[in-house]
Amino acid sequence: MAIDGHPVTVLGGGVGGLASALALARRGARVTVLEQAPAIAEVGAGLQISPNGAVVLQALGLGAGLERSAIRARDVELREHRRGRRVLRFDLDRRRRPAGHYLMHRADLIALLETGARAAGVEIRTGVQALRARPGPTGVRLDLADGTRHTAPLLIGADGVRSVLRPALNAAEAPFFTRQVAWRAVIPEAGRPAATTQVFMAPGRHLVTYPLRGGTRRNIAAFEERPEWAEEGWQQRGDPDAFRRAFAGIGGPVPGWLAQVEEVHLWGLFRHVVAPRWHADRCALLGDSAHPTLPFMGQGANMALEDAWVLAAKLAECPTPQAGLAAYAAARAPRCARIVATADGNAKLYHLAGPVRPFVHQVMAVGGALLPGFAPSRFDWLHGLDVTGGGGDGGRG
């Protein structure tokens, strides 16, 4: 399909929506983004861009902006909770991936993608809320909150876990509460902190932290097992004192960081199935609308970036929209399902309790000393894929 001049509507102005809009526009499509918020603005917190996501940003012409806005990560440290003693260190430079790992504020990534999309000619309409999507053989009709309708000859649903397009393609589902909640906060940072991601492991909980914005801010993301239900969605406010109490047993520098928290957000972690059906004749799901993932692999934004590139490439390569959307779904679904499944099980390692915990930590420490490249190489299948064509297979990793 020659998408040069073809009209495409993207529903959602987040990472996946803006990235797909930019990727499609760079291939000549006439793209309109519909975003329900009054402005393209992302308060958010920190996120990690791994090499598989960074190559997409670079291929979209945003490499220089990525270098300016993000911190190139040096290493990852796993630490025990009582005194913050280091158990294992992963040297990210050891992997020698040219694209690199980056630590970035979500708002800065959104701003970078928005600037790129507008420069490529993408029309962004804010304050537009879609209530229902009605796919048909010639396009998709969107019923909007203001009583009007928008008809899209080709629609990309990048509207997140509460997608209006997903239920039009799939049966209703009931997400499963994992009995885990996530807290997030950003605090001021003094001095010149190392470009290190630190993970403090404790029974039933763990805390992840790294610097942002040139080292002037510190991101804190903390995860706690608990039976009390919390609403899904990371915009809910939490109680800073409750946050401090929940993680009071973690030592090292953590108490000092938690003492600085003035605002924190709290949300429940729910397990969703990867959408059984990603596309119809004139529409497709992308990012969290297709494959919501638990945040234990740091891959939510990276999967959306990969999706965006592969979607645009398949639509450009294939003779019809139907063929392009089918090729996109076939390329992406197996890899995304693997990432989601890996994230589902990853928290168990961080939350070990009882006598097994020190034993496993000792094994990790000895293994890291004897075979320093082994642990990072376990995720070569994830971080080593380049969907832009620099040695990758187009999306099947």
Side-chain angles (χ1 to χ4, degrees):
M1 172 188 177
I3 59 173
D4 188 24
H6 193 88
V8 182
T9 298
V10 176
L11 192 58
V15 173
L18 291 172
S20 59
L22 174 55
L24 289 162
R26 285 173 61 89
R27 286 173 170 80
R30 293 189 291 111
V31 186
T32 301
V33 173
L34 305 181
E35 166 56 41
Q36 67 177 353
I40 298 293
E42 197 53 92
V43 287
L47 50 76
Q48 300 184 58
I49 304 295
S50 49
N52 50 303
V55 292
V56 174
L57 292 173
Q58 292 162 356
L60 290 173
L62 304 178
L66 177 64
E67 292 290 341
R68 287 192 303 269
S69 303
I71 296 174
R72 183 151 181 163
R74 185 186 71 185
D75 54 9
V76 178
E77 296 178 344
L78 302 186
R79 294 181 173 270
E80 60 86 26
H81 71 289
R82 287 194 177 91
R83 296 181 178 84
R85 176 184 60 85
R86 190 172 77 189
V87 174
L88 185 62
R89 176 178 178 269
F90 304 148
D91 185 347
L92 298 177
D93 289 335
R94 174 182 292 276
R95 306 311 303 157
R96 290 191 291 275
R97 300 211 184 281
H101 293 255
Y102 293 87
L103 310 172
M104 193 173 193
H105 198 290
R106 184 180 294 270
D108 297 335
L109 177 58
I110 291 293
L112 182 64
L113 290 167
E114 180 191 7
T115 299
R118 291 188 186 278
V122 174
E123 178 188 0
I124 299 176
R125 295 171 54 190
T126 57
V128 180
Q129 182 182 6
L131 301 179
R132 282 172 299 279
R134 304 177 188 273
T138 60
V140 182
R141 191 184 80 190
L142 294 173
D143 297 333
L144 306 181
D146 64 1
T148 63
R149 293 173 178 171
H150 175 90
T151 300
L154 184 60
L155 178 72
I156 308 305
D159 49 339
V161 295
R162 295 184 175 89
S163 171
V164 299
L165 180 60
R166 176 165 172 151
L169 299 178
N170 295 274
E173 62 158 314
F176 171 73
F177 180 48
T178 63
R179 292 180 172 262
Q180 298 183 82
V181 297
W183 304 77
R184 67 166 174 80
V186 177
I187 61 172
E189 178 67 273
R192 292 179 174 269
T196 297
T197 296
Q198 299 178 68
V199 182
F200 294 83
M201 304 175 292
R205 62 202 191 282
H206 74 282
L207 183 147
V208 182
T209 182
Y210 48 83
L212 295 172
R213 291 183 166 169
T216 63
R217 296 289 185 273
R218 174 166 294 278
N219 187 71
I220 300 173
F223 306 92
E224 174 194 7
E225 295 177 6
R226 72 177 202 188
E228 295 87 2
W229 182 88
E231 187 175 348
E232 187 174 24
W234 48 265
Q235 297 288 4
Q236 286 76 237
R237 293 290 183 94
D239 178 0
D241 289 332
F243 180 33
R244 282 184 274 270
R245 288 194 297 270
F247 292 86
I250 299 181
V254 173
W257 291 331
L258 295 184
Q260 297 182 62
V261 173
E262 296 180 355
E263 180 179 303
V264 67
H265 289 75
L266 168 70
W267 71 101
L269 299 181
F270 287 74
R271 186 175 293 119
H272 298 254
V273 299
V274 175
R277 186 182 182 201
W278 285 38
H279 71 98
D281 286 349
R282 294 283 178 170
C283 58
L285 302 171
L286 183 144
D288 283 348
S289 65
H291 46 73
T293 182
L294 294 176
F296 300 134
M297 289 292 290
Q299 286 299 303
N302 293 291
M303 283 195 288
L305 291 170
E306 288 184 359
D307 284 355
W309 184 274
V310 175
L311 171 72
K314 296 303 183 184
L315 284 172
E317 293 168 6
C318 293
T320 66
Q322 295 88 336
L325 297 177
Y328 153 72
R332 295 300 299 154
R335 174 169 170 84
C336 292
R338 184 181 182 185
I339 294 172
V340 169
T342 304
D344 285 351
N346 211 33
K348 296 177 182 177
L349 175 65
Y350 298 148
H351 294 186
L352 292 172
V356 71
R357 184 172 57 85
F359 171 74
V360 172
H361 286 184
Q362 183 64 28
V363 170
M364 292 166 64
V366 172
L370 295 177
L371 298 169
F374 174 72
S377 68
R378 290 177 55 232
F379 295 107
D380 281 351
W381 66 270
L382 175 58
H383 299 148
L385 181 67
D386 180 354
V387 297
T388 69
D393 63 3
R396 289 188 182 273

